[in-house]
Amino acid sequence: MKSRDLAYIALFAAIIAALGLIPPVPVPGIPVPITAQTLGVMLAGSVLGARRGALAVLTFLAVVATGVPLLSGGRGGLAVFAGPSAGYLYGWTLAAFVIGVLTQLTWRRFNLAWAMVANLVGGVGVIYALGIPFTSVYGDVSLSAAATGALSFIPGDVVKAGIASVVAVGVHKAYPVIELPRRRPAAG
Amino acid sequence: MTLSLYVPVASPVHRTPAGLKLGLLAALAVALFLVDGLAVVGGTLAAVLLLGLGAARLPWRSVLAQVRPVWPWLVLLFAFHLVVTDWHTGTVVVLRLLALVAAAAVVTATTRVTELVAVVEWLARPLTVFGVRPARIGLVIAMTLRFVPLVAERAQRIRDAQAARGAERFRFRSLVPLLVQVLRLADTLGEALDARGADAPVPVRRGRAGASTS
């Protein structure tokens, strides 16, 4: 891994942290205000790609775990990794990785539609697929009850996936960071 | 903005090695889920609080501040169990989580960030087999802490520029110029790191000068 990659990883860990400083955005029609932090997770995956994106999220979580209160709402420390919603945090790393993989797969024809697919599958699907069972096991509640509790957050996350996709396409046009292995030059 | 949850006090808990504290915390997390007795779980919570507020002399505010975000969850869980199972199970579940969260809060408040980073580097040592260099983990964490105010400042600048042009509120589209700006900065930082030898190959441990490797 090059020094530049290390700097990118630190940068996106910091971006996830900085997005936690933005006051939650109330959205009409949705009871839960949107905190921008998962937007940072989606951006890490879709701008940096699978490996660096997942490492950026991991770095952010490591910084939070060491007691720097950078999780939205000024939370931090090891306590947040012991709570019933910790499964969502663990899901972030995998989410960034999956978004990165899907982005790299569709890189040559990357557009808003592909970005949406990547961010919805990774940023919404993967996170809930991990978070809901975690809450269920941890709090001794049934899967369906945990899923019902999570439902109200999904619209906000879909909006965030949309924003992340628009931004990802913009960044890819202006300053692409993902490098694919060179294709052999075609003959002629 | 205080950038750490560490509370400096001279106490035996503070002096305990960070690795030991983290190990005990991990063991507690596993053990607590193996027991169901109300007395055991409640006793653990009392012991954790005694350790944190008594032995470590932490102000109760610092522990409370870390436990507070979990409250809504605990209330929901307890309400759920009242409806579906019974108050006994609900109390055990809630006390168990409280004990675990409080224990984690005590470890965080009694251990410096640098000590925890050292533990992270130590834990990453087996990963050297896969080419991970533990010293770089500390470097990346340090860079992250430096980047946070920098990113916030750049975001503010873009917001100011938009306001000057008559935009009423922050638009998420302006994340694109922000990201391009900070990615350029990261590039420069990467080059600066290379110039200082950060890209040097992993130092191979050898014997004294002159000794052959075989």
Side-chain angles (χ1 to χ4, degrees):
Chain A
M1 200 159 270
K2 291 181 197 157
S3 301
R4 189 170 36 134
D5 296 322
L6 299 183
Y8 284 160
I9 289 166
L11 174 66
F12 271 80
I15 288 173
I16 299 171
L19 284 168
L21 303 176
I22 296 180
V25 185
V27 173
I30 301 170
V32 187
I34 293 183
T35 67
Q37 213 137 39
T38 41
L39 177 63
V41 174
M42 295 175 190
L43 285 175
S46 46
V47 173
L48 293 185
R51 200 157 156 238
R52 291 176 296 188
L55 284 173
V57 177
L58 214 55
T59 302
F60 170 73
L61 293 179
V63 171
V64 169
T66 55
V68 188
L70 289 174
L71 219 50
S72 68
R75 294 174 298 149
L78 293 162
V80 294
F81 294 94
S85 61
Y88 292 97
L89 287 187
Y90 299 127
W92 284 6
T93 312
L94 188 63
F97 188 81
V98 170
I99 293 171
V101 167
L102 292 174
T103 305
Q104 281 162 308
L105 280 179
T106 57
W107 179 242
R108 284 178 209 284
R109 49 186 182 283
F110 195 73
N111 57 22
L112 193 59
W114 284 118
M116 265 317 266
V117 170
N119 281 304
L120 283 177
V121 171
V124 183
V126 169
I127 290 181
Y128 286 93
L130 281 173
I132 290 171
F134 191 92
T135 307
S136 159
V137 172
Y138 219 89
D140 226 349
V141 297
S142 67
L143 260 184
S144 57
T148 316
L151 264 184
S152 57
F153 290 92
I154 288 183
D157 280 338
V158 172
V159 172
K160 272 181 271 184
I163 296 170
S165 303
V166 172
V167 175
V169 171
V171 173
H172 280 161
K173 276 184 195 146
Y175 203 80
V177 168
I178 293 174
E179 286 161 22
L180 294 178
R182 286 270 163 78
R183 267 187 188 168
R184 286 207 191 116
Chain B
M1 173 171 139
T2 52
L3 261 183
S4 173
L5 299 171
Y6 176 73
V7 182
V9 179
S11 89
V13 184
H14 284 72
R15 281 193 295 274
T16 309
L20 182 61
K21 277 186 271 192
L22 282 174
L24 287 175
L25 181 64
L28 184 71
V30 176
L32 268 178
F33 279 91
L34 298 178
V35 294
D36 271 332
L38 185 55
V40 183
V41 177
T44 309
L45 176 59
V48 167
L49 289 179
L50 212 63
L51 197 69
L53 304 177
R57 296 202 305 280
L58 296 173
W60 58 272
R61 274 169 199 284
S62 76
V63 178
L64 196 68
Q66 284 194 69
V67 176
R68 198 182 298 133
V70 193
W71 274 122
W73 282 96
L74 294 182
V75 172
L76 266 175
L77 274 178
F78 190 69
F80 175 84
H81 277 287
L82 270 189
V83 176
V84 179
T85 55
D86 56 318
W87 68 270
H88 184 267
T89 316
T91 314
V92 170
V93 165
V94 167
L95 285 184
R96 180 194 282 151
L97 290 181
L98 259 183
L100 202 48
V101 171
V106 169
V107 173
T108 307
T110 60
T111 317
R112 285 177 200 281
V113 172
T114 45
E115 284 178 74
L116 285 169
V117 172
V119 174
V120 172
E121 288 185 9
W122 180 79
L123 283 175
R125 265 168 41 188
L127 297 177
T128 36
V129 181
F130 304 106
V132 175
R133 293 161 67 178
R136 288 184 154 199
I137 295 174
L139 175 68
V140 170
I141 289 178
M143 282 197 283
T144 303
L145 293 176
R146 180 64 194 91
F147 267 135
V148 175
L150 196 100
V151 170
E153 186 239 344
R154 290 292 159 126
Q156 187 58 46
R157 248 195 244 177
I158 288 187
R159 219 174 304 177
D160 289 346
Q162 287 178 336
R165 281 181 253 127
E168 288 127 38
R169 55 189 202 89
F170 184 78
R171 281 163 58 239
F172 277 101
R173 231 172 228 284
S174 54
L175 278 172
V176 177
L178 173 63
L179 287 184
V180 171
Q181 271 189 25
V182 290
L183 280 169
R184 285 219 176 94
L185 276 175
D187 276 341
T188 315
L189 183 64
E191 281 164 21
L193 281 175
D194 282 344
R196 285 163 182 76
D199 59 340
V202 186
V204 181
R205 199 167 289 169
R206 294 221 181 108
R208 291 271 166 81
S212 73
T213 43
S214 59

